[in-house]
Amino acid sequence: MPKISHKGQSMPESPIRKLVPFAEAAEARGISIHQLNIGQPDIKTPQAALNAVKDADIEVLSYSHSAGFLSYREKLAAYYGKQGIDITASDIIISTGGSEALMFAMGSVTDPGDEVIIPEPFYANYNGFATASGVTVKPVISSFESGFALPPISEFEKQITAKTKAIVICNPGNPTGYLYSQEELDQLSELVKKHDLFLIADEVYREFAYDGLQHRSVLNQRSIDEHTIMIDSVSKRFSMCGARIGCIVSRNKNLMATAMKFAQARLSPPTLAQIASEAALDTPQSYFDEVISEYVDRRNTLVEGLEAIPGVRVAKPKGAFYCIVELPVKNADDFARWLLESFEYNKKTIMVAPAAGFYSTEGEGINQVRIAYVLKKEDLIEAVSLLKEALQQYKD
Ligand SMILES: Cc1ncc(COP(=O)(O)O)c(C=O)c1O
């Protein structure tokens, strides 16, 4: 039998998707499941994006430029301009989802054996992207008590070695919902300048900032232009996860020339999805205003409901649509599986993502889960009452 690579064997399983077989078995038993485990929004995709694909007059579905349509990149630059980010089309490469942009970034700044520092808990797939690049993730723990604010800079400095190439942040955070302040971004800027590192900011949830708080892009840290790489995506912004369109943005010309070689190797991002994404940029502000107010309403409903369950603690999110929830159980992994295998109330149950998979420090997040509030308010209310019932029945 030919051997699978060590790299392949060490690729992590998705903590978000590993419970899927148990969910499928529950569904086969006639149980309906409120899926709080994945960030698939139920919000409608803007009609203009769908119409653009329907109306596309195409005879050959051809490759596009490896950096993506110029017309799309120009419109995207104008879109960032409206948000106070001064960028040109040549600073942007369109990717197949934010996921590919993260791979381009990782590939462009690290060699096998290098290290990146990431505040944890973090988006679990960063582990997969790092492993695929032969890179080690050095975590710096952010605390539940602080709502997952930026850990002290001294903690980052403790992790910096000659192999450290970049610091990766997610702003607003998945799974934490934390939104970094200007002061925190300034601290990070000083740090990357001092140690000559890249600062990769995953801003795919940039529009999802609540309570009047403003999202601050790493691209506006103008004293570190050569260090900053921004990752973006249409997946959540326009509820277009299946389009598979994202981008990598940087003013560092060397970095972009390198990322372009990765882009050329995979030829081009998807053509039809670029047509949809370009059209989506005409979406009026009223769409976002409605979406944001819907998410705020959902967040408030969820947090209020969860806080009323004895023994449950929530770190109230300021952005994105996730929160980390501490449960009165010993092992949230076992509990999440039990919810699908052994629990039901009126033929219903819930699916959550055990949070340990969002940490890379062994033993962290063991009694936590991540909940995505991507369901309608009525469903969230029902999901919370199912959780309450389940916790009463569960024997550790
Ligand atoms: C923090 C974060 N970054 C990147 C991605 C990847 O998004 P996509 O590849 O769909 O653009 C996701 C998807 O859930 C995410 O949550």
Side-chain angles (χ1 to χ4, degrees), residues 34-46:
H34 287 302
Q35 297 211 329
L36 304 168
N37 59 315
I38 53 169
Q40 170 59 60
D42 62 350
I43 303 285
K44 282 210 175 89
T45 302

Side-chain angles (χ1 to χ4, degrees), residues 65-67 93 104 257-268:
H65 191 287
S66 292
I93 294 175
F104 289 175
T258 309
M260 189 59 185
K261 292 190 276 182
F262 285 89
Q264 285 167 349
R266 64 74 164 111
L267 302 179
S268 74

Side-chain angles (χ1 to χ4, degrees), residues 5 9 21 53 68 113 121 138 164 172 181 210 225 246 253 256 258 270 283 307 319 349 353 384 391 396:
S5 67
Q9 289 180 53
V53 174
K138 292 292 212 66
T164 309
S181 66
Y210 310 136
D225 272 355
K253 301 287 176 212
M256 290 308 278
T258 309
T283 305
E307 281 178 340
T349 190
V384 168
L391 285 168
D396 244 334

Side-chain angles (χ1 to χ4, degrees), residues 14 69 107 128 143 145 151 171 180 186 191 289 291 302 307 317 321:
S14 162
F69 297 161
S143 74
E145 285 66 30
N171 185 30
Y180 289 114
D186 290 345
L191 181 72
D289 295 343
V291 170
L302 178 71
E307 281 178 340
F321 34 70

Side-chain angles (χ1 to χ4, degrees), residues 50-279:
L50 301 173
N51 288 348
V53 174
K54 276 190 212 140
D55 299 345
D57 185 12
I58 292 176
E59 284 182 8
V60 178
L61 195 51
S62 57
Y63 291 123
S64 69
H65 191 287
S66 292
F69 297 161
L70 178 61
S71 56
Y72 178 35
R73 285 183 290 128
E74 281 174 342
K75 218 162 144 183
L76 202 49
Y79 172 81
Y80 290 127
K82 270 197 240 147
Q83 306 200 349
I85 302 171
D86 185 16
I87 276 295
T88 64
S90 63
D91 302 322
I92 304 173
I93 294 175
I94 307 301
S95 54
T96 307
S99 306
E100 190 182 56
L102 282 159
M103 291 292 282
F104 289 175
M106 202 71 94
S108 300
V109 309
T110 61
D111 287 310
D114 282 342
E115 296 167 356
V116 295
I117 300 176
I118 317 184
E120 66 176 354
F122 55 78
Y123 176 52
N125 282 332
Y126 295 159
N127 276 323
F129 302 140
T131 305
S133 299
V135 167
T136 304
V137 171
K138 292 292 212 66
V140 175
I141 296 182
S142 60
S143 74
F144 186 98
E145 285 66 30
S146 70
F148 301 105
L150 190 75
I153 290 296
S154 54
E155 295 301 310
F156 285 86
E157 293 208 293
K158 279 186 203 156
Q159 295 284 28
I160 293 176
T161 71
K163 291 179 177 169
T164 309
K165 293 295 157 65
I167 291 175
V168 181
I169 57 166
C170 184
N171 185 30
N174 171 10
T176 62
Y178 189 76
L179 195 63
Y180 289 114
S181 66
Q182 185 57 53
E183 199 190 341
E184 288 170 320
L185 290 184
D186 290 345
Q187 288 174 4
L188 282 170
S189 300
E190 284 307 309
L191 181 72
V192 297
K193 215 179 339 181
K194 180 172 164 196
H195 296 277
D196 208 14
L197 305 173
F198 282 98
L199 179 58
I200 304 173
D202 181 339
E203 300 185 2
V204 306
Y205 297 96
R206 57 179 22 259
E207 271 79 10
F208 302 90
Y210 310 136
D211 306 328
L213 294 169
Q214 202 198 332
H215 172 262
R216 294 174 195 283
S217 175
V218 79
L219 292 172
N220 278 340
Q221 299 298 106
R222 295 306 304 261
S223 66
I224 53 162
D225 272 355
E226 296 300 315
H227 302 253
T228 49
I229 304 173
M230 195 270 275
I231 306 296
D232 208 350
S233 168
V234 303
S235 291
K236 317 292 160 151
R237 174 174 311 140
F238 299 118
S239 200
M240 283 172 62
C241 294
R244 311 307 307 130
I245 292 288
C247 62
I248 175 169
V249 187
S250 177
R251 296 191 187 89
N252 179 325
K253 301 287 176 212
N254 264 342
L255 181 277
M256 290 308 278
T258 309
M260 189 59 185
K261 292 190 276 182
F262 285 89
Q264 285 167 349
R266 64 74 164 111
L267 302 179
S268 74
T271 296
L272 281 177
Q274 285 185 83
I275 293 174
S277 302
E278 188 171 331

Side-chain angles (χ1 to χ4, degrees), residues 33 138 151 162 176 224 236 267 286 308 317 329 341 365 376 380:
I33 303 171
K138 292 292 212 66
T176 62
I224 53 162
K236 317 292 160 151
L267 302 179
S286 55
V329 299
E341 278 192 311
K376 289 186 183 49
L380 282 174

